[in-house]
Amino acid sequence: MKKILVTGGMGYIGSHTCVELISAGYEPIIVDNLCNSKPEVLNRIEKIAKKRPVFYLNDVRDEEKMDKIFDEHNIDAVIHFAGLKAVGESVKKPDLYFDNNIGSTEVLIKVMKKHGCKNLIFSSSATVYGDPKRVPILEDDPVGATTNPYAETKYRIENMLKSLYGEDNSWNFIILRYFNPIGAHKSGLIGEDPQGIPNNLMPYITQVAVGKLPQLSVFGNDYDTPDGTGVRDYIHVVDLAIGHVLALEKIQHAPGLMVYNLGTGVGTSVLDLVRAFEDANGLKINYKIVERRPGDIATCYASADKAYRELGFKTKYTIVDCCRDSWNWQKNNPHGFDK
């Protein structure tokens, strides 16, 4: 297995994964419509990895163009990142999220089937668990009681893959349920570069620190948590990227349908993360408490024991590492990938 199609490979998680794929000897082929990323990412991947991936500017929903890409390359497996991911936006524009996220997966599966490529690693989310009844969350805990349209798209795609496997077990699927990726590559060359006001906590913190935003909005301090703010499982994006390389190794040696949480197993509150960032970087973050955000839950963190047992997955970066690497990226790229 050598050639790996990476949909959404120019995005935050996708770009870091492409670096790790190249490092592991794979040949990533990127397909991205750049709706949430910039062309400069390709130059940065090349600078880090010393190799430039093949890149196609294309929407995965364009079946004709996807067909041509599979015609041009003997693709062994697909890592499917492509999709819209902002919880708040999904609440306002659910139809857009269903069309983009589910529609792109339907086209991808159709084209893969046509070309006899039946190895897929899917970028799912911890949001499929909804508001969990217990933490840490296990892979066999209930899913489907989703709290926002973004999460619902991930849940429906998981069901699509499970149904397909039930009909034809020659397919190999690994569903990776991410918790909360933060951090950046240690080089400071790639990192999270959201459009407009960030939807995720860490880029919001770093943009306040760099002076791009006046203060951090903390969405609610009345949750049933130790300090009243939301608790999440923050995982370094490089650890997450390495998880995909391990998943590729797994799919080659133990085919089937598998589901794994990728997280640290540790919950960190919003205010704990703010303090960790301040301590790690010697900075002060101005913040204010505001109303809860629609679709948010109180506490969500993983049990990553299954991924450790079956993939050999173990995170090596701490919250402090995440904070330092995030700031290193932001201070060296105050305007993201825009020069």
Side-chain angles (χ1 to χ4, degrees), residues 203-224:
Y204 211 124
I205 291 172
T206 61
Q207 289 193 17
V208 171
V210 83
K212 199 171 178 180
L213 293 171
Q215 63 184 358
L216 169 69
S217 295
V218 175
F219 295 104
N221 67 343
D222 58 350
Y223 288 104
D224 184 16

Side-chain angles (χ1 to χ4, degrees), residues 12-13 16 85 178-186 190-193 198-206 232-241 262-264 266-270 272-274 276-277 280-281 315 317-329:
Y12 174 45
I13 303 171
H16 287 81
K85 62 177 185 176
Y178 309 161
F179 282 68
N180 292 69
I182 58 174
H185 193 269
K186 64 182 179 181
I190 55 174
E192 190 167 7
D193 181 22
N199 291 292
N200 296 329
L201 178 57
M202 183 58 86
Y204 211 124
I205 291 172
T206 61
R232 298 291 183 270
D233 188 338
Y234 296 101
I235 177 173
H236 198 292
V237 67
V238 173
D239 277 329
L240 192 61
L262 292 186
T264 65
V266 178
T268 301
S269 77
V270 172
D272 281 341
L273 189 63
V274 170
F277 184 88
N281 299 303
T315 57
Y317 295 102
T318 66
I319 285 291
V320 172
D321 295 324
C322 292
C323 291
R324 285 175 179 159
D325 291 342
S326 294
W327 178 234
N328 184 47
W329 150 253

Side-chain angles (χ1 to χ4, degrees), residues 76-92:
D76 297 303
V78 178
I79 302 178
H80 184 33
F81 292 109
L84 300 173
K85 62 177 185 176
V87 168
E89 182 185 55
S90 79
V91 173
K92 296 175 183 175

Side-chain angles (χ1 to χ4, degrees), residues 4-23:
I4 313 299
L5 185 74
V6 184
T7 72
M10 298 280 274
Y12 174 45
I13 303 171
S15 59
H16 287 81
T17 300
C18 285
V19 168
E20 297 304 322
L21 287 172
I22 294 168
S23 176

